[in-house]
Amino acid sequence: MPGSDSVTPIGLVRGIRLDRERVPDFARYPFAIPAIAGLDELELDPHVTCFVGENGSGKSTLLEAIAVACRFNAEGGTKNFNFATRRSESELHEYLRVVRSHRRTRDGFFLRAESLFNVATEIERVGVGGYGDRSLHEQSHGESFLALMLNRFGGDSLFLLDEPEAALSPMRQLALLSVMKQLVDEGSQFIIATHSPIVLAYPGARIYALDGGLAPIAYDDIEHVRTTRDFLNHRGVFLDRLFAK
């Protein structure tokens, strides 16, 4: 039982709500995606929330909509970024309500592995500092991803990461968990869309599965985790079945 001096943590963003009465048509994209169609109110963990699901399940679409509803640039960056290489965000953000806490957000960042190049280019174009002593373009994809986190991310901030594992090796994913823990201890909050069993393993993370709907799921029940574990434990069996003539 918690002691009398224990305090329930409060996130910067407590949750999101879909204004279902205003949705023009649940039969069209993105509202027809099962996870979106079933969305009403979604509670977020004060520290780390993860969205997991198969390709096309809507996890990146939902994360992007939350980011834009929180006034981040759709292609990535801080709230001060305002550029678009190619406008592709859905209209979902127009129908989301962000449920904020009384805590003040000091900073934040929307980081997408697929558009990190574009963000790095914009950083160089506007000449802003705080991103390390080397250009992000002079580093590998994974190095620049972690460099950005180490040099730009701080406490009391909201961070949205879209499939960070796409840029990171398994060892660098473990490093990501370490950086996340430091930032969470400083009052920051993460919302992450990911396929990675390593990223999903962040202790205490609230995980939502978006396959055919939107529901909480335990780590060991996640299909990605079970498939990866089974493959590593029975690699020969899997390969024999895949390559059987």
Side-chain angles (χ1 to χ4, degrees):
M1 180 178 295
S4 59
D5 60 345
S6 64
V7 178
T8 301
I10 299 175
L12 298 162
V13 176
R14 302 176 72 105
I16 57 167
R17 294 172 183 161
L18 177 63
D19 192 347
R20 300 182 63 85
E21 294 183 356
R22 293 181 54 240
V23 171
D25 186 359
F26 276 102
R28 80 178 195 216
Y29 176 85
F31 309 106
I33 298 173
I36 306 302
L39 177 61
D40 187 1
E41 182 169 352
L42 188 68
E43 184 178 357
L44 300 176
D45 186 82
H47 298 151
V48 178
T49 300
C50 292
F51 300 142
V52 64
E54 268 299 335
N55 296 329
S57 63
K59 60 186 181 302
S60 292
T61 300
L62 178 58
L63 183 74
E64 175 190 77
I66 296 172
V68 178
C70 290
R71 301 185 180 178
F72 289 99
N73 186 58
E75 203 162 318
T78 70
K79 294 180 181 180
N80 295 324
F81 280 53
N82 185 23
F83 73 96
T85 306
R86 180 182 182 274
R87 290 285 183 188
S88 60
E89 66 269 23
S90 75
E91 60 183 314
L92 178 59
H93 66 276
E94 300 175 16
Y95 303 90
L96 289 185
R97 177 184 173 188
V98 180
V99 184
R100 303 179 187 274
S101 74
H102 65 271
R103 290 181 56 204
R104 182 178 179 181
T105 305
R106 189 178 75 180
D107 201 355
F109 210 97
F110 178 30
L111 188 53
R112 320 179 65 150
E114 66 179 22
S115 60
L116 179 56
F117 178 91
N118 301 337
V119 171
T121 299
E122 181 68 5
I123 290 170
E124 288 193 350
R125 186 188 71 81
V126 298
V128 293
Y131 292 87
D133 56 4
R134 291 176 60 198
S135 166
L136 296 179
H137 280 311
E138 294 176 359
Q139 304 175 61
S140 73
H141 196 189
E143 287 175 330
S144 60
F145 197 100
L146 278 180
L148 194 154
M149 290 190 65
L150 290 169
N151 291 291
R152 184 59 181 76
F153 288 14
D156 295 319
S157 301
L158 177 64
F159 301 112
L160 301 100
L161 310 182
D162 187 18
E163 300 186 2
E165 69 275 10
L168 303 174
S169 70
M171 289 299 294
R172 292 296 174 88
Q173 290 178 48
L174 292 173
L176 168 66
L177 294 183
S178 178
V179 174
M180 287 173 56
K181 176 62 166 62
Q182 295 174 34
L183 292 167
V184 165
D185 287 346
E186 295 172 4
S188 289
Q189 181 179 13
F190 286 83
I191 309 173
I192 306 173
T194 181
H195 294 283
S196 169
I198 294 176
V199 177
L200 290 163
Y202 186 92
R206 180 172 299 174
I207 306 171
Y208 289 103
L210 279 73
D211 291 317
L214 181 60
I217 190 170
Y219 179 81
D220 288 320
D221 293 332
I222 299 170
E223 184 65 28
H224 296 359
V225 173
R226 293 189 299 179
T227 299
T228 301
R229 180 185 293 129
D230 289 346
F231 177 80
L232 293 175
N233 289 335
H234 308 286
R235 181 181 59 185
V237 174
F238 272 77
L239 295 177
D240 286 345
R241 290 176 180 173
L242 285 172
F243 302 145
K245 294 183 180 180

